[in-house]
Amino acid sequence: MRVNLISPRSPVTVVTRREKAIQFSRLSLMTVAALFPADTNIRLINDSLEGIDFDEKVDMVGITTLTSTAPRAYEIADRYRERGIPVILGGIHPSALPEEASLHADAVVIGEAEGLMERLLSDFRGGKLQKIYKSDERPNLANLPLPRKDLLSGNKFYREMDLVQTTRGCPFGCDFCSVSDFFGRTYRTRPVEDVIREVKLLKNRRIIFFVDDNIAGRPDYAKQLFKALIPLKVHWFGQASIIIAKNRELLRLAAKSGCIGLFIGFESLSPEGLKQVHKTVNRVNDYDEGIRKIHDSGIGIIGAFIFGFDSDNEGVFENTVDFIERNRIELASFSILTPLPGTRLYKQFDEQGRIFERDWAKYTCGEVVFKPAILSIDQLQDGYYWARKQISSYGSIFRRTARLNKIALLSLPVNLVMRKASRASLKDIKTSMFDKTT
Ligand code: SF4
């Protein structure tokens, strides 16, 4: 059987050098690929980087999609289906809106694929695919087949990156986040020995990216994992909530196990903003001290911030940039609050009649799709661009990374790459705020 597994083109992918594009969605496709029988001829296709040959003879196509890539996913699906090739859609968006997705698919997989693929493949062979596949039980993460990383070798469109998943889900339930909806309000862990076995099999093992939504969601598990990583002498990045800074032992073990950077969702400097979206795990008053403790342990920070909370006014952009520079946060990422389908925020904004845009391609977290409370739509959009431009200036990069330590030195080239990508995507944008400051 020949199968193409496709990640659709993102409306915001900035590919400065084709072979250098970072495509995180690959891990989900490699994970799904591992659920097919070993003799299946599988090809991974990265639609952002390579063309799709719709005339290629394949028996089945699988497409994973987020909300912003859904229109492109549907376009690809429709073109294959016109040729009589069955298409399976899965991922976060089809799981949130299965009826919509099923208009473009022979079958839709809701939620995680493990525990469903066997039935789906048996139905496919018998010529009786169901429209929807959904399991009421969350898969146990023990003994999962390892992602088919071998499918990357020889594929010039994919840059190999050591992505590993150790947990699924998050113990928290922020209103804007799709994680709890997709994985349920559960936090499941893979056995530490399974993770270590996978890490040992990685080809490069230079820098690992743990793709978990919150690697320290269960401190006892995280401690075991970090202890087991120490002898492997790896370097790694991961995502965690700021409360990791309150657990000195956990932080010490993270650093000792090779952690060089944590992606942390600060989201807002406004307690009211955090309260609005039930990000109860964050305490604004603890941010400065938490950042200092993480830095003191030798770990860098990639800080994520969201604009557009109901309490945000015109000052939010400058305050946030000042905060990032004052605390020397090595890398910063900005988003516009986006009511993604399936989340509680979507339901709330929908009921309040605040969503004015339903073109999913605009749900990139970089475009305003709802009516803000205090800011105007233009102020929110302009302010977001302004903050991105400020943080990618040489002055800001210097202020945040001018230190003679390992993290600062490592983050400098990444900042410069991000500056290039950011400036490329902002090149044609002219806003009133830019005119004032540049
Ligand atoms: S803490 Fe992070 S991963 Fe967890 S629900 Fe909130 S935003 Fe999502």
Side-chain angles (χ1 to χ4, degrees):
M1 181 162 74
R2 290 173 67 95
V3 176
N4 281 351
L5 295 180
I6 301 175
S7 70
R9 187 169 61 223
S10 157
V12 288
T13 303
V14 176
V15 183
T16 46
R17 287 176 59 188
R18 287 158 71 95
E19 74 278 16
K20 286 261 167 96
I22 297 169
Q23 301 289 320
F24 287 106
S25 58
R26 301 172 307 162
L27 188 65
S28 58
L29 289 185
M30 290 186 285
T31 304
V32 169
L35 304 175
F36 281 83
D39 59 353
T40 313
N41 187 344
I42 299 176
R43 198 157 78 83
L44 302 185
I45 298 180
N46 182 338
D47 178 42
S48 294
L49 303 174
E50 54 188 305
I52 297 177
D53 175 6
F54 291 99
D55 293 324
E56 184 187 1
K57 285 200 179 349
V58 286
D59 301 296
M60 181 197 278
V61 168
I63 307 174
T64 180
T65 182
L66 302 167
T67 297
S68 63
T69 54
R72 174 63 183 161
Y74 295 159
E75 188 188 325
I76 296 170
D78 293 347
R79 290 193 60 185
Y80 273 115
R81 294 179 81 215
E82 279 165 16
R83 289 158 177 74
I85 298 168
V87 173
I88 318 298
L89 277 169
I92 286 186
H93 188 78
S95 298
L97 298 179
E99 291 82 14
E100 176 191 286
S102 69
L103 299 174
H104 305 272
D106 295 276
V108 174
V109 174
I110 300 179
E112 296 157 83
E114 292 91 354
L116 295 174
M117 283 304 287
E118 206 171 294
R119 182 154 58 88
L120 185 149
L121 289 171
S122 153
D123 290 351
F124 171 75
R125 284 189 211 97
K128 45 183 174 50
L129 267 180
Q130 309 293 305
K131 258 309 195 188
I132 301 283
Y133 288 84
K134 182 177 184 208
S135 169
D136 293 331
E137 281 178 29
R138 302 279 165 192
N140 184 319
L141 303 189
N143 299 315
L144 288 181
L146 295 183
R148 289 281 311 275
K149 292 179 181 167
D150 58 296
L151 293 172
L152 296 184
S153 43
N155 186 331
K156 64 180 176 170
F157 294 107
Y158 282 104
R159 185 167 180 242
E160 281 194 48
M161 209 173 159
D162 287 334
L163 306 177
V164 176
Q165 185 174 50
T166 74
T167 63
R168 287 188 190 170
C170 174
F172 309 110
C174 310
D175 288 358
F176 58 86
C177 180
S178 304
V179 169
S180 310
D181 184 56
F182 189 79
F183 291 115
R185 277 298 282 279
T186 60
Y187 187 69
R188 285 160 293 140
T189 57
R190 288 177 69 197
V192 169
E193 52 277 19
D194 286 11
V195 178
I196 296 300
R197 185 163 53 96
E198 183 174 343
V199 169
K200 282 182 175 168
L201 287 172
L202 295 173
K203 236 200 248 165
N204 298 320
R205 266 212 266 160
R206 276 198 297 267
I207 295 185
I208 298 169
F209 189 87
F210 287 115
V211 299
D212 313 84
D213 296 297
N214 190 347
I215 196 166
R218 245 185 56 197
D220 56 331
Y221 171 81
K223 280 183 195 169
Q224 281 177 39
L225 176 68
F226 299 162
K227 279 182 191 162
L229 283 170
I230 292 170
L232 303 187
K233 299 194 186 321
V234 294
H235 290 104
W236 61 270
F237 283 96
Q239 305 186 79
S241 54
I242 185 70
I243 52 166
I244 192 173
K246 288 187 179 288
N247 192 327
R248 191 188 297 218
E249 172 69 354
L250 188 56
L251 207 51
R252 188 187 68 77
L253 286 170
K256 203 169 172 202
S257 68
C259 179
I260 47 179
L262 287 173
F263 185 99
I264 293 180
F266 294 94
E267 326 302 7
S268 178
L269 304 179
S270 150
E272 295 80 37
L274 296 173
K275 197 167 161 203
Q276 178 200 342
V277 292
H278 297 102
K279 181 112 191 181
T280 48
V281 62
N282 283 15
R283 295 267 182 279
V284 177
N285 287 340
D286 295 343
Y287 282 178
D288 287 10
E289 193 189 346
I291 293 167
R292 187 180 50 71
K293 284 183 176 166
I294 294 171
H295 278 157
D296 286 351
S297 69
I299 295 174
I301 297 175
I302 304 125
F305 299 85
I306 300 176
F307 298 126
F309 295 105
D310 284 354
S311 52
D312 285 351
N313 58 29
E314 272 188 90
V316 68
F317 311 104
E318 209 167 330
N319 284 346
T320 308
V321 169
D322 285 350
F323 172 86
I324 292 165
E325 292 183 351
R326 176 166 45 83
N327 282 290
R328 295 184 157 199
I329 291 181
E330 287 82 358
L331 293 161
S333 132
F334 298 120
S335 309
I336 292 175
L337 188 64
T338 302
L340 295 168
T343 62
R344 281 194 298 279
L345 190 71
Y346 182 90
K347 194 164 178 285
Q348 185 197 334
F349 280 6
D350 193 32
E351 283 167 5
Q352 293 171 351
R354 294 172 69 180
I355 300 177
F356 63 82
E357 181 59 76
R358 311 263 173 184
D359 174 358
W360 302 137
K362 296 199 172 8
Y363 280 58
T364 57
C365 298
E367 292 197 51
V368 185
V369 298
F370 74 100
K371 291 187 202 114
I374 300 175
L375 294 164
S376 69
I377 292 166
D378 284 349
Q379 281 173 327
L380 177 52
Q381 190 70 65
D382 284 7
Y384 160 78
Y385 289 138
W386 179 86
R388 282 185 58 188
K389 192 155 185 180
Q390 290 301 114
I391 219 74
S392 63
S393 67
Y394 285 124
S396 177
I397 295 173
F398 180 78
R399 282 190 283 283
R400 291 179 289 111
T401 62
R403 275 167 292 166
L404 279 177
N405 66 23
K406 189 176 67 183
I407 330 162
L409 292 175
L410 265 173
S411 67
L412 183 62
V414 185
N415 262 298
L416 294 175
V417 170
M418 282 176 70
R419 172 189 156 87
K420 201 171 171 190
S422 185
R423 296 276 156 149
S425 66
L426 293 173
K427 204 171 65 182
D428 299 324
I429 296 163
K430 292 211 173 16
T431 71
S432 50
M433 288 188 85
F434 279 14
D435 294 342
K436 265 188 264 162
T437 56
T438 57

Coordinates of all heavy atoms in Angstrom, one line a residue, residues 170 172-174 176-177 179-180 213 279, ligand 1:
C170 N -1.9 18.7 29.5 CA -1.4 19.7 30.5 C -2.4 19.7 31.7 O -3.6 19.6 31.5 CB -1.4 21.1 29.8 SG -1.0 22.4 30.9
F172 N -3.3 22.1 33.4 CA -4.1 23.3 33.4 C -5.0 23.4 32.3 O -5.0 22.6 31.3 CB -3.1 24.5 33.5 CG -2.0 24.3 34.5 CD1 -0.7 24.1 34.2 CD2 -2.4 24.3 35.9 CE1 0.3 23.9 35.1 CE2 -1.4 24.2 36.8 CZ -0.1 23.9 36.5
G173 N -5.9 24.4 32.3 CA -6.9 24.4 31.3 C -7.2 25.9 30.9 O -8.3 26.4 31.1
C174 N -6.2 26.5 30.3 CA -6.4 27.9 29.9 C -7.4 28.0 28.7 O -7.4 27.2 27.8 CB -5.1 28.5 29.4 SG -3.8 28.2 30.6
F176 N -7.9 29.7 26.1 CA -7.5 30.0 24.7 C -6.7 28.8 24.1 O -6.4 28.8 22.9 CB -6.6 31.2 24.6 CG -5.3 31.1 25.4 CD1 -4.2 30.5 24.9 CD2 -5.3 31.6 26.7 CE1 -3.1 30.4 25.7 CE2 -4.2 31.5 27.5 CZ -3.0 30.9 26.9
C177 N -6.4 27.8 24.9 CA -5.5 26.8 24.5 C -6.2 25.5 24.0 O -7.2 25.0 24.6 CB -4.6 26.4 25.7 SG -3.4 25.2 25.3
V179 N -4.9 22.5 23.8 CA -4.3 21.3 24.4 C -5.3 20.5 25.1 O -5.5 19.3 24.9 CB -3.1 21.7 25.2 CG1 -2.6 20.5 26.0 CG2 -2.0 22.2 24.4
S180 N -6.0 21.1 26.1 CA -7.0 20.4 26.9 C -8.1 19.8 26.1 O -8.6 18.7 26.4 CB -7.5 21.2 28.0 OG -6.5 21.9 28.7
D213 N 3.7 19.9 25.9 CA 3.1 21.2 26.2 C 3.6 21.7 27.5 O 3.6 22.9 27.8 CB 1.6 21.2 26.1 CG 1.1 20.8 24.7 OD1 1.4 21.6 23.8 OD2 0.6 19.7 24.5
K279 N -5.8 31.5 33.2 CA -4.4 31.0 33.3 C -4.0 31.2 34.7 O -3.3 32.1 35.1 CB -3.5 31.9 32.3 CG -2.1 31.4 32.4 CD -1.6 30.8 31.1 CE -0.3 30.1 31.3 NZ 0.3 29.5 30.1
Ligands
SF4_1 S1 -0.6 26.0 30.8 FE1 0.0 26.2 28.6 S2 -0.3 24.1 27.7 FE2 -1.4 24.2 29.7 S3 -3.5 24.8 29.1 FE3 -2.4 26.7 29.7 S4 -1.6 27.5 27.7 FE4 -2.2 25.3 27.4

